[in-house]
Each structure stands twice: as C-alpha cells, then as structure tokens.
C-alpha cells in the first residue's frame, strides 16, 4: 500500500517511506532551486574542455552555489566531501572530483544539487571534452531521449510510476543499450532523497499513481554494453562492469493537475551536447 502525505509549507518532513504531496509554496521553492541548478549547468558549457580537471569543475560549481546563497547538498552528504559528481566515460554515476584532467574525446556527466532556501534542485547533463566518437555521441543522444520519454510518460493523466521505467527501457532496448537498475531516481523536496524510488525500467501500469504535488527526479543511466554496475573501493564511484561507456541525464520534476513541470529546464536551451 502506497501512503501519501499532504505537506503544508512549514512542516518538518521525514524519510518515513511516505510519498509527499506539496502545495504552491513547494512548487515555488523547487522552481528557484531547480532554476539555479540549471543555470549552473548552463554556465559549465563554456568551461568543459580537455585539460580541465574534475576538481576545477567542483570548485566552480561550489563557487556558483555559494554566490547564489545556496549550499551544495552533496557536501557532507553521507560522508561525501565534494560539491558535485563528475562521471567520465565508463563511470555510471557518483564519480568523485579530483586531479584527473579531461581528455579529448571524453564524455562526462556533471550532477549538481544546490540546496536553496530549504529546497533541493537535482539535475545532471552530459558534456563533451573535444570530439567524442560517433558511438559515444549516439549513446548520449539516446540517453537524453530516454529522460524526455520518461518525463512524457509521467506527465500523462492517470500515469503510474512504472510507466516511466517502461518508456525508458523500451527506448534504450531498441539500441541494445543496458539500463542500470542499481541506481534510481527519487522523491525530493526539502529532503534530498525520499520515497518513491524511480526505477528506470519496468512495467507500464504498475506502481503508485503519480498525484499532483509529487516531486521526484528521473535520471536514467544507460550503458553502451551490459547494464551491470559495480562500486569501486572508494565507496562511491559506480562503473560499468564491462567497462562500456555510460551516460546519464537528470531532471527534477513536479506533477501538476494537468501534467508535469520540469524544475531544472535549461533557461538557455542548452539541454544536451554539443553546446
Ligand atoms: N545527485 C545525485 C543524485 O542524482 C546524488 C549524489 S549523492 C553524492 O541523486 F553524495 F554522491 F553526491
Ligand atoms: Co538525483
Ligand atoms: Co543528481
């Protein structure tokens, strides 16, 4: 049985397994946090190039968040000590920024979550360093399409959670790509990670109804090869077991009375590379 909990604006919320349903204040808060997150990703488009280190990216992200009066939600989150995640090539997600420089042909996901006035804006995009291979660019395009098809499915009247994964999996499998199952989208709002888990594969018509006021992410991770993931010894970095390339895009979303609102849409239309 899925439990929903209607949230009034000032109430403290807990990770108690309930799906939160937010009102107008929640939408206002998420719009601001989401817009800031998207502006940060927009700003990075001019910065990503061969030779730039992932620590340089992290420093720039942290600076932009602090300048805007936000804090990086990842900083100190479960022992994570960076302001974003930078996942290069066969890294699926949670790549830790460091002194590694981007090389010509790399594809990199940058995932940012500013916490602004108590609300989390969680979004990621892919970037190209120099000129990636045709197969890398195809993977990135299809992964973006997977995200947008998942959003479209979630925005239909009467949609259920399982419709999202079904739409994503149907598209990815046309290209024989692997959909990662170990990491999911998630409810968010005043909490960074909350119910429900948004699995990027599955069966249409199953799972909880998507109700107005629900906030969650969709963040498909799509592998050029098999779907299998493993986490490295640092406890964070998730990589493809078969070392194949992996791509990801993420938006923070809110269900409305007549569809879906994307809180983290690029104000400049810089939705996917090449930028
Ligand atoms: N932003 C990631 C997500 O999409 C979570 C990163 S948690 C971290 O859910 F600690 F690894 F940064
Ligand atoms: Co997320
Ligand atoms: Co994220």
């Amino acid at each position: 049985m899925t439990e929903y909990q209607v949230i009034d604006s000032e109430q403290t919320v807990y990770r108690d397994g309930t799906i939160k349903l937010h009102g107008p204040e929640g939408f206002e808060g998420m719009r601001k946090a989401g817009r800031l997150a998207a502006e940060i990703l927009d700003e990075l488009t001019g910065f990503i190039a061969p030779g730039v280190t992932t620590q340089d990216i992290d420093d720039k992200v942290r600076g932009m968040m602090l300048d805007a009066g936000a804090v990086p939600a990842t900083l100190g989150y479960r022992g994570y000590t960076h302001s974003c995640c930078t996942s290069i090539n066969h890294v699926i997600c949670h790549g830790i920024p460091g002194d590694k420089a981007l090389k010509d042909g790399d594809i990199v996901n940058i995932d940012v979550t500013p916490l602004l006035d108590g609300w989390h804006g969680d979004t990621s995009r892919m970037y190209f360093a120099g000129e990636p291979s045709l197969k890398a660019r195809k993977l990135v395009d299809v992964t973006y399409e997977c995200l947008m098809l998942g959003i479209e499915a979630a925005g239909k009247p009467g949609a259920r959670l399982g419709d999202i994964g079904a739409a994503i999996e149907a598209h990815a499998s046309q290209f024989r790509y692997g959909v990662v199952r170990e990491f999911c989208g998630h409810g968010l709002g005043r909490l960074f990670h909350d119910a429900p888990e948004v699995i990027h594969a599955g069966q249409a018509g199953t799972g909880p109804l998507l109700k107005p006021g629900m906030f969650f992410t969709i963040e498909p991770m799509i592998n050029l090869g098999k779907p299998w993931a493993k986490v490295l010894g640092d406890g964070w970095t998730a990589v493809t077991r078969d070392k194949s390339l992996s791509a990801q895009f993420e938006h923070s979303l809110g269900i409305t009375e007549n569809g879906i609102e994307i809180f983290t849409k690029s104000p400049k239309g810089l939705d996917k590379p090449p930028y």
Side-chain angles (χ1 to χ4, degrees):
M1 244 282 288
T2 308
E3 276 195 75
Y4 300 86
Q5 190 186 357
V6 176
I7 300 301
D8 77 46
S9 59
E10 297 303 318
Q11 166 182 9
T12 306
V13 288
Y14 300 96
R15 263 195 94 166
D16 54 6
T18 62
I19 294 177
K20 315 300 185 289
L21 301 178
H22 300 85
E25 297 91 341
F27 276 86
E28 241 348 277
M30 287 301 287
R31 260 172 221 139
K32 289 187 185 145
R35 186 181 173 95
L36 173 61
E39 285 169 349
I40 289 168
L41 293 186
D42 279 0
E43 193 63 30
L44 290 175
T45 58
F47 186 68
I48 304 308
V52 172
T53 71
T54 48
Q55 185 61 55
D56 296 336
I57 298 168
D58 197 65
D59 291 341
K60 196 166 165 68
V61 166
R62 188 175 50 261
M64 288 189 278
M65 289 188 192
L66 297 178
D67 284 350
V71 292
T74 56
L75 204 52
Y77 180 78
R78 296 176 178 230
Y80 193 81
T81 57
H82 288 80
S83 302
C84 65
C85 297
T86 50
S87 303
I88 304 171
N89 296 336
H90 75 294
V91 178
I92 295 170
C93 64
H94 303 163
I96 303 173
D99 52 19
K100 191 166 172 168
L102 295 172
K103 304 183 306 313
D104 184 30
D106 282 348
I107 58 170
V108 57
N109 175 277
I110 304 176
D111 189 339
V112 300
T113 310
L115 171 58
L116 181 66
D117 298 334
W119 298 95
H120 292 83
D122 187 4
T123 184
S124 79
R125 292 179 212 156
M126 298 301 296
Y127 296 79
F128 295 161
E131 294 279 327
S133 65
L134 195 59
K135 70 180 195 329
R137 283 184 278 147
K138 178 81 188 169
L139 173 69
V140 168
D141 275 344
V142 171
T143 303
Y144 180 75
E145 289 161 10
C146 283
L147 169 62
M148 297 316 287
L149 287 166
I151 293 173
E152 195 183 306
K156 290 196 174 140
R160 290 183 178 271
L161 197 62
D163 299 355
I164 299 170
I168 291 169
E169 192 181 12
H171 193 58
S173 61
Q174 282 184 42
F175 303 87
R176 299 171 161 255
Y177 293 158
V179 179
V180 174
R181 316 291 166 97
E182 285 94 331
F183 301 93
C184 304
H186 49 91
L188 86 173
R190 292 195 176 276
L191 296 167
F192 189 0
H193 292 109
D194 195 7
E197 275 191 355
V198 181
I199 303 163
H200 300 110
Q203 243 189 301
T206 65
L209 267 176
L210 302 182
K211 297 194 182 182
M214 275 177 73
F215 297 163
F216 56 87
T217 71
I218 302 179
E219 47 183 300
M221 288 144 274
I222 309 292
N223 300 344
L224 197 50
K226 300 277 181 233
W228 319 128
K230 69 171 179 193
V231 175
L232 299 184
D234 59 27
W236 285 104
T237 313
V239 300
T240 54
R241 282 191 178 265
D242 63 6
K243 306 256 171 57
S244 68
L245 290 176
S246 187
Q248 179 180 28
F249 287 86
E250 174 176 25
H251 273 314
S252 293
L253 308 153
I255 300 293
T256 63
E257 290 297 338
N258 43 24
I260 192 161
E261 178 170 344
I262 304 179
F263 295 125
T264 46
K265 213 167 166 40
S266 166
K268 294 191 170 156
L270 301 170
D271 296 306
K272 65 185 179 87
Y275 298 113

